[in-house]
Amino acid sequence: MCFLQAPAGLGRKGANTLSRRRVRSMVIMNNAAGRQPVLLVDVMDTLVVDPFTVSMYEHFGFTEHKDFLLAKDPDTWIPFELGNMSENTFWDNFFKDKRKVDVEKFGSYMRETYSWIDGMQDLMSELHSMGVEMHLFTNYPVWWKMVEEELCLSQYAEWSFISCQMHTRKPEPKAFLLAADRLGCMPSDCVLIDDRSSNCSGALDIGYLDALKFQSAKQTRQLLRKYFPTLTE
């Protein structure tokens, strides 16, 4: 039985009270039962190169990433990522000085920069061919459509959980619970793959079977063999 609301003692702040010992026991029970976990896979900086962390500052004419961060409005991204701000409003307020942004040029830059992280397309392809149930679980705005158009991630996993559609984001407990609830499974049936430690901790705290912190395709393959022993090296 799935639950959308956190169980007793697992409110927004109380989620962190779930013991790691209990999480480990969930791993043992699932493995003993022979159930194959559901993989929830992050997208940016896990599967796909994120332009923001690579060269976006250069696109906007800055020589240093830190100067770019100082120039942009820090209060626009999260509402946009949550789907609570339109893209027009986002661009109108992107920079503190309200400078105009060439949105078409920006879109071209993003499309050119999106690319698979080395080895991850092969890994996703192999997991898909094995019949592993996978879902994309990402904090990202409507730009996810550009990622899909350029890289076609949906050939391996569905875009099931996107922050701009869910109106919640990792590592909020609600995001993790909502994903499990919509899949019709328990949190303890889910394994998260994510590059952010905070997201991995949030998933474990809410009762996910496991959370694998992404570092490389090779490292992720090694960790996944715990659940899928036939994965190639």
Side-chain angles (χ1 to χ4, degrees):
M1 179 178 178
C2 291
F3 47 85
L4 181 56
Q5 298 297 323
L10 289 183
R12 194 166 207 163
K13 296 181 180 178
N16 293 327
T17 63
L18 183 63
S19 72
R20 300 290 174 163
R21 181 178 299 174
R22 182 180 168 192
V23 172
R24 286 295 99 204
S25 71
M26 291 175 179
V27 172
I28 294 170
M29 288 189 294
N30 271 35
N31 286 345
R35 292 197 298 269
Q36 191 178 81
V38 177
L39 294 186
L40 299 177
V41 188
D42 178 50
V43 176
M44 307 312 297
D45 283 333
T46 299
L47 296 179
V48 176
V49 172
D50 189 346
F52 179 80
T53 59
V54 175
S55 58
M56 190 178 291
Y57 69 97
E58 294 177 331
H59 170 77
F60 285 113
F62 294 89
T63 56
E64 298 285 344
H65 187 73
K66 63 180 181 180
D67 295 330
F68 170 55
L69 294 180
L70 287 172
K72 73 183 199 66
D73 189 326
D75 298 323
T76 57
W77 178 253
I78 290 180
F80 181 46
E81 193 174 65
L82 285 170
N84 297 329
M85 177 183 288
S86 71
E87 188 164 9
N88 286 339
T89 301
F90 172 75
W91 286 124
D92 287 344
N93 296 277
F94 185 69
F95 287 108
K96 293 176 182 176
D97 61 9
K98 309 300 182 184
R99 73 187 72 174
K100 294 296 182 181
V101 173
D102 187 330
V103 177
E104 185 175 345
K105 184 178 180 181
F106 176 81
S108 297
Y109 155 75
M110 294 290 276
R111 289 177 183 277
E112 291 170 3
T113 310
Y114 288 136
S115 61
W116 282 93
I117 290 176
D118 288 347
M120 288 308 290
Q121 184 173 15
D122 289 340
L123 176 56
M124 292 293 285
S125 178
E126 185 173 350
L127 289 166
H128 181 263
S129 69
M130 292 167 57
V132 176
E133 182 178 354
M134 297 186 288
H135 299 267
L136 303 178
F137 188 6
T138 180
N139 292 345
Y140 216 52
V142 292
W143 300 343
W144 71 269
K145 297 175 183 177
M146 289 196 291
V147 179
E148 172 62 17
E149 289 168 0
E150 294 303 311
L151 304 178
C152 198
L153 272 61
S154 63
Q155 65 187 305
Y156 308 116
E158 296 181 33
W159 288 89
S160 300
F161 308 110
I162 311 169
S163 61
C164 66
Q165 295 179 349
M166 299 170 69
H167 303 294
T168 183
R169 64 199 293 273
K170 299 171 291 183
E172 288 291 330
K174 179 182 176 181
F176 297 117
L177 291 170
L178 184 60
D181 185 75
R182 289 184 178 176
L183 290 173
C185 64
M186 291 292 291
S188 56
D189 295 322
C190 301
V191 170
L192 177 72
I193 303 174
D194 201 296
D195 67 296
R196 291 183 176 269
S197 297
S198 58
N199 293 341
C200 292
S201 296
L204 291 176
D205 288 341
I206 214 65
Y208 272 36
L209 174 64
D210 207 349
L212 312 180
K213 186 178 185 302
F214 173 80
Q215 295 177 9
S216 69
K218 181 178 181 180
Q219 166 255 9
T220 303
R221 276 184 179 274
Q222 292 172 343
L223 294 175
L224 283 173
R225 285 197 196 97
K226 175 180 180 179
Y227 304 105
F228 311 104
T230 59
L231 261 180
T232 61
E233 295 188 16

